[in-house]
Amino acid sequence: MEQKSGLVITAHPGDFVWRAGGAIALHARKGYRMKIACLSYGERGESQFAWKQAGVKLEDVKAQRRDEAERAAAILGAEIEFFDAGDYPLRSSEAMLDRLVDIYREVKPAFVLTHSLHDPYNFDHPLATHLAQEARVIAQAAGHKPDPTRAYTAPPVFLFEPHQPEQCDYKPNVILNIDDVWETKRKAFEILAAQKHLWDYYTRVALNRGMQGGRNSGRAMTYGEAYQRLFPDIVEELK
Ligand SMILES: [Zn+2]
C-alpha cells in the first residue's frame, strides 16, 4: 500500500510549530510522510529577539531561523522545503505557485493544513492560505502540465488556529487529540528561542482545546489542536 502523506503550508516557521506541531508529529508517528512547505524564514516578523543584537544582518537572521525550522521539523518527524519568499511582506510569484502545484501532485496529500482565511494582524498568513488553496485546485486541472497517467484528488483543507481566533473569523469544528505527541510538540517549541514568550501561551491554548475536546467527545484528553474544515466531510453514516 502506498504511504499516506500530509502537507502543511505555512508563511513562517513558528506557525507549523505552534499551530500544527501536534498534527504533524501525530501523523508522522502513524507512518505518514509529512511535508512542510515553509514560504519564508520569518526573518523580519517573527525574529524580534535576533534583531536586538547590534549590527545583525538579514542573512544571519535567515540562517538562524532556517536552522531552527529544520531542527523543529526534524523533531516533529517532517521534511521541510523553504521558499525563501520573504516575510513582512510575503509576496507570491508564479514560480512559487508552480512549485506548490508540483508539490501537491508529487506528495498527493491526504490532507492539507494551512492558515485561517483572515488575519487582520498578519497579512502574510491569508496570503499563504490563498496560495495553498489556489495550488490545490490548479493541481486538479488536467490541462496544467498534462499527464494522462496522473492520479490526484484535491485533499480536504484544515485551517489551523490563528493567534487571535475571534478577530480572524475563525471557528474550529475539529479538535485533534494530541496527548500522545504533546511532549514532542513542546520540544519543538523550545527550539524557537526567538519566541520564548509564546511557549507558555501555546501550552495554554493546547490545554484549553484539550478541555473542549473532552467536553465535546466525552473521552478523556488533555491536549488538543483546533482545526476548521473548509469543505464538507463526506460520510456513509452519521456518527
Ligand atoms: Zn506566522
Side-chain angles (χ1 to χ4, degrees):
M1 206 175 94
E2 204 176 346
Q3 185 187 22
K4 286 187 185 172
S5 57
L7 178 61
V8 186
I9 299 177
T10 68
H12 317 112
D15 299 311
F16 74 76
V17 176
W18 313 124
R19 313 185 197 295
I24 295 169
L26 188 70
H27 289 84
R29 190 176 284 190
K30 288 178 188 289
Y32 281 61
R33 172 189 178 191
M34 291 303 300
K35 168 137 187 165
I36 302 164
C38 189
L39 303 184
S40 81
Y41 297 116
E43 60 267 29
R44 293 191 180 89
E46 62 168 45
S47 305
Q48 261 63 325
F49 187 80
W51 290 108
K52 285 186 178 144
Q53 301 156 45
V56 70
K57 292 192 180 66
L58 185 67
E59 289 311 311
D60 296 338
V61 179
K62 283 167 71 169
Q64 184 188 325
R65 294 314 309 279
R66 182 187 173 113
D67 175 62
E68 285 180 7
E70 281 176 340
R71 284 187 291 132
I75 281 186
L76 296 171
E79 56 192 90
I80 186 163
E81 179 170 330
F82 298 101
F83 281 60
D84 192 13
D87 70 330
Y88 287 73
L90 174 68
R91 290 288 179 263
S92 65
S93 67
E94 289 300 316
M96 283 167 70
L97 184 60
D98 191 62
R99 177 63 196 140
L100 272 179
V101 173
D102 286 352
I103 288 175
Y104 272 99
R105 286 179 168 183
E106 178 214 319
V107 174
K108 297 188 189 73
F111 59 83
V112 60
L113 312 180
T114 192
H115 293 269
S116 54
L117 297 177
H118 309 287
D119 191 340
Y121 297 95
N122 191 312
F123 291 86
D124 295 354
H125 291 167
L127 183 71
T129 314
H130 184 94
L131 269 170
Q133 292 224 74
E134 195 172 16
R136 171 183 172 273
V137 171
I138 293 171
Q140 256 185 328
H144 176 89
K145 298 185 187 171
D147 174 1
T149 65
R150 181 188 304 116
Y152 168 82
T153 310
V157 180
F158 295 87
L159 309 178
F160 46 64
E161 182 161 2
H163 194 61
Q164 297 189 62
E166 294 85 349
Q167 281 76 11
C168 299
D169 291 332
Y170 181 83
K171 199 168 181 180
N173 49 20
V174 174
I175 293 178
L176 182 68
N177 183 336
I178 58 166
D179 284 354
D180 288 349
V181 291
W182 170 251
E183 288 306 320
T184 306
K185 179 168 179 173
R186 175 74 200 196
K187 279 198 190 92
F189 282 12
E190 291 170 9
I191 289 173
L192 302 183
Q195 294 173 287
K196 200 168 183 174
H197 59 291
L198 294 177
W199 297 0
D200 287 344
Y201 181 90
Y202 280 103
T203 299
R204 293 195 299 274
V205 170
L207 284 167
N208 286 345
R209 293 306 187 190
M211 180 74 83
Q212 293 161 8
R215 178 75 189 260
N216 279 277
S217 68
R219 296 189 296 274
M221 64 184 278
T222 306
Y223 297 100
E225 222 165 55
Y227 290 91
Q228 184 177 329
R229 272 190 81 103
L230 266 195
F231 300 104
D233 191 10
I234 311 307
V235 298
E236 308 301 326
E237 185 185 351
L238 294 173
K239 57 177 181 176

